[in-house]
Amino acid sequence: MKLNLRIWRQDGPNDSGRLENYTVENVSPDESFLEMLDELNEKLVSEGKEPVAFDHDCREGICGMCSMFINGEAHGPDRAITTCQLHMRRFKDGDTITIEPWRAAAFPVIKDLVVDRTAFDRIIQAGGFVSVNTSGNTIDANALPINKADADNAFDAATCIGCGACVATCKNSSAMLFVSAKVSQLALLPQGKVERQERVLNMVEKMDEEGFGNCSNTGACEVECPKEISLDNIARMNREYLKASLSSEK
Amino acid sequence: MSNSALLKSSLAKKYWMSITGLFLILFLIGHLAGNIPLMFEINRETAHGFNEYAKFMSENPLVQIVAWVVKIAILFHAVDGVLLTMQNNKARPVKYKVENANANSSWFSRAMMPMGLLIFAFICIHLVNFWAEMHYGSIPTYKVRGEEYRDLYTVVMKFFGKDELAIMWISIYILGMVALAFHLIHGFQSAFQSVGLRHKKYTPIIEKIGYAFAIIVPLIFALIPIVIHIRVNG
Ligand code: HEM
Ligand code: SF4
Ligand code: FES
């Protein structure tokens, strides 16, 4: 296949950036999207040009690094996958593919397609943990009875890989799907119950402070999320926060 | 209570959006019930019945309080909506060059602000047309058993039937109701999600009721001026 690429190039955080055109030839339908970009970069390096900077790590859909907005959708046109799991058989010979970085005030562009997602880390630091002593005297997980439905819902929420596709997709750059998944996975389990009120208050406060937008319930995040995190989690966070703001000591 | 959590936070703004929105939905039911008689036969009885209702609505102290609460709720809802939208725009300062939003969400769920602004413009026009006329205008009066009534019924009939701009007014009212319909197709179920009311069994039912409400209520509202125009002229 021969493909026309329009890729966002931006030299650094203060550069205004622009879309640049490239062509790649002999692309195999069996290649992954990132392999196709690797080939482009090899070509650019051999021509003495600056390669396209993009994030990636595991290349198997578990680290959440490969943030790319491809033809107007986070991680491209397929559902329930990350960019590294997207394959070139999804495209046709002669296609034009536009590749942009995640767009959000809270995710500033570092270079080309690479954005700074440490805002997510700071939200986790604000409350996305359980304060237990792990120095040898932890209780065996099986010693705590947990309702099957709660365990399943907590596990589903915990599959969130923090990729930021929800923020990138949301017209408001809202982080509600991510934050609600992190609030839910702990609120549903006995270990997380002790700190559940401060947790939701602190994480939402941090989320607002980082400059993410509000939720308009369009549901776009749930559709584009590679881990199919459900809007049920956002409803749960809304309940948790309402209860906590009425009854917490904070 | 947590300081400012229920006023300033992102979630709090949505709670208020939801509560005021649901309250306005209740208001719509009452308002529709009061105005449906306008569609039926033109005679002295229906006219007087409607004028009695209008007199009750403009004089009963309890109704007066509710009427002001409705106006405050609309303003509160609109201001809150503008604040939310401003923050949302600030959260995405650089837009995408290519964005396929239709792949993951409906256009009306993304158009709550434009539809809201159309509804707001409609409400202003509507209040000037009838509320201001009833309270500060010069509506002809008549007496029944010593009680004075203002003949709002005839004013409405003239307005949608004989006024030289009748067709323009009817078009404005239809447009206002189309905007309301789209606002509610998304808004009705969204209001439940915003306060965390989501349930495997009940949410699909709420969604269906919301969809039906969002179409039927604005449709009947829009039919009122059309039916009046046809009756008066035909
Ligand atoms: C009778 C009139 C109206 C009714 C019944 C109504 C109802 C609703 C409902 C039920 C919602 C959903 C709340 C939620 O998502 O939690 C909503 C959202 C919204 N309304 Fe209204 N509304 C009305 C008028 C207006 C007006 C006049 C404006 C603005 C000028 C407005 C702007 C908005 C906006 C921007 C949202 C979405 C907020 C967001 O989620 O980002 N609405 N409305
Ligand atoms: S909720 Fe989904 S889209 Fe958002 S960060 Fe987690 S995995 Fe990514
Ligand atoms: S590179 Fe790890 S999820 Fe794509």
Side-chain angles (χ1 to χ4, degrees):
Chain A
M1 287 192 278
K2 183 178 168 195
L3 297 166
N4 307 306
L5 304 177
R6 294 167 70 218
I7 303 179
W8 185 260
R9 300 303 307 262
Q10 183 172 336
D11 300 340
N14 299 321
D15 181 26
S16 57
R18 70 254 144 224
L19 279 176
E20 281 183 15
N21 295 313
Y22 302 90
T23 46
V24 278
E25 282 170 49
N26 300 322
V27 177
S28 151
D30 299 329
E31 270 172 46
S32 80
F33 200 84
L34 296 189
E35 283 168 327
M36 184 274 294
L37 287 179
D38 291 338
E39 284 178 6
L40 170 70
N41 276 345
E42 276 167 24
K43 198 177 98 182
L44 289 177
V45 171
S46 71
E47 289 167 1
K49 291 184 190 143
E50 184 77 8
V52 179
F54 64 88
D55 259 333
H56 61 102
D57 188 18
C58 71
R59 297 206 174 202
E60 55 178 357
I62 54 173
C63 74
M65 287 302 283
C66 49
S67 54
M68 271 175 223
F69 211 71
I70 301 164
N71 280 351
E73 282 185 78
H75 298 139
D78 278 336
R79 296 285 165 254
I81 57 161
T82 51
T83 304
C84 57
Q85 295 170 297
L86 177 64
H87 281 76
M88 297 317 294
R89 55 179 171 265
R90 195 65 172 73
F91 300 91
K92 290 192 311 291
D93 187 43
D95 274 1
T96 298
I97 306 175
T98 307
I99 313 171
E100 296 173 79
W102 284 173
R103 293 293 186 198
F107 287 166
V109 173
I110 297 171
K111 190 173 191 226
D112 297 341
L113 303 172
V114 180
V115 298
D116 177 358
R117 276 173 303 182
T118 50
F120 270 10
D121 300 339
R122 290 188 290 272
I123 294 174
I124 296 293
Q125 283 158 12
F129 51 80
V130 179
S131 312
V132 286
N133 194 345
T134 52
S135 56
N137 49 7
T138 43
I139 307 166
D140 183 76
N142 292 321
L144 282 171
I146 301 171
N147 174 308
K148 172 84 164 86
D150 288 344
D152 287 350
N153 287 333
F155 188 83
D156 282 349
T159 58
C160 162
I161 53 178
C163 64
C166 43
V167 174
T169 296
C170 175
K171 76 175 177 67
N172 309 334
S173 293
S174 168
M176 300 270 176
L177 196 64
F178 166 76
V179 178
S180 69
K182 299 303 172 195
V183 164
S184 290
Q185 72 184 28
L186 299 176
L188 283 163
L189 298 178
Q191 294 90 335
K193 292 238 153 75
V194 184
E195 293 157 298
R196 73 194 279 189
Q197 293 200 326
E198 305 93 88
R199 176 181 305 116
V200 70
L201 292 174
N202 291 339
M203 287 178 82
V204 169
E205 192 182 343
K206 195 70 193 170
M207 170 181 82
D208 291 351
E209 215 179 280
E210 293 288 344
F212 292 103
N214 309 284
C215 179
S216 291
N217 301 323
T218 69
C221 54
E222 182 187 52
V223 175
E224 299 288 350
C225 170
K227 300 299 158 187
E228 304 182 290
I229 300 294
S230 158
L231 294 182
D232 292 352
N233 293 295
I234 298 185
R236 187 178 295 108
M237 177 173 74
N238 291 345
R239 286 197 297 275
E240 288 282 317
Y241 187 84
L242 189 57
K243 268 185 259 167
S245 28
L246 290 171
S247 61
S248 155
E249 298 285 322
K250 194 188 166 212
Chain B
M1 197 173 86
S2 144
N3 55 349
S4 81
L6 280 185
L7 288 172
K8 285 206 221 121
S9 72
S10 52
L11 296 200
K13 288 203 201 72
K14 284 302 308 239
Y15 296 152
W16 288 110
M17 210 64 207
S18 162
I19 294 164
T20 49
L22 288 172
F23 175 72
L24 291 174
I25 285 175
L26 285 180
F27 154 75
L28 287 179
I29 301 174
H31 194 48
L32 182 65
N35 288 309
I36 280 186
L38 285 171
M39 286 205 279
F40 301 127
E41 242 175 314
I42 306 175
N43 58 39
R44 290 213 12 228
E45 261 157 61
T46 42
H48 185 59
F50 181 76
N51 289 335
E52 268 182 320
Y53 159 76
K55 187 181 168 75
F56 172 76
M57 294 303 279
S58 63
E59 285 174 5
N60 183 294
L62 204 70
V63 175
Q64 285 308 293
I65 294 171
V66 176
W68 279 106
V69 175
V70 169
K71 289 185 191 74
I72 291 165
I74 291 172
L75 275 181
F76 202 101
H77 184 86
V79 170
D80 197 14
V82 168
L83 288 177
L84 282 166
T85 307
M86 276 164 43
Q87 273 181 341
N88 295 343
N89 290 338
K90 221 178 103 194
R92 162 111 8 120
V94 184
K95 309 284 177 228
Y96 293 105
K97 302 277 181 212
V98 178
E99 192 169 8
N100 187 6
N102 289 328
N104 49 46
S105 54
S106 62
W107 70 267
F108 43 84
S109 75
R110 304 190 302 267
M112 292 302 273
M113 195 64 226
M115 291 302 130
L117 286 178
L118 282 179
I119 299 169
F120 195 80
F122 167 78
I123 293 172
C124 294
I125 295 171
H126 180 54
L127 285 180
V128 169
N129 289 161
F130 297 113
W131 178 81
E133 192 63 24
M134 189 71 179
H135 285 254
Y136 310 110
S138 50
I139 291 186
T141 58
Y142 63 94
K143 277 196 175 158
V144 174
R145 275 179 245 106
E147 277 245 34
E148 190 168 75
Y149 290 90
R150 275 177 286 183
D151 194 3
L152 185 63
Y153 184 88
T154 309
V155 171
V156 176
M157 292 302 132
K158 277 216 190 91
F159 187 76
F160 290 122
K162 293 279 183 229
D163 194 289
E164 52 191 27
L165 295 174
I167 297 296
M168 181 193 84
W169 293 125
I170 294 170
S171 313
I172 289 176
Y173 276 63
I174 292 173
L175 188 70
M177 289 308 105
V178 170
L180 181 64
F182 283 116
H183 199 71
L184 291 181
I185 291 179
H186 179 67
F188 194 104
Q189 51 81 31
S190 172
F192 290 84
Q193 168 80 359
S194 293
V195 288
L197 292 173
R198 187 181 176 90
H199 189 276
K200 290 239 151 36
K201 253 194 285 180
Y202 305 124
T203 296
I205 301 172
I206 292 172
E207 280 170 0
K208 285 196 191 85
I209 294 175
Y211 207 94
F213 185 96
I215 291 177
I216 294 169
V217 170
L219 184 70
I220 301 176
F221 268 125
L223 280 176
I224 295 174
I226 300 173
V227 169
I228 291 175
H229 187 82
I230 296 170
R231 277 192 186 282
V232 169
N233 295 294

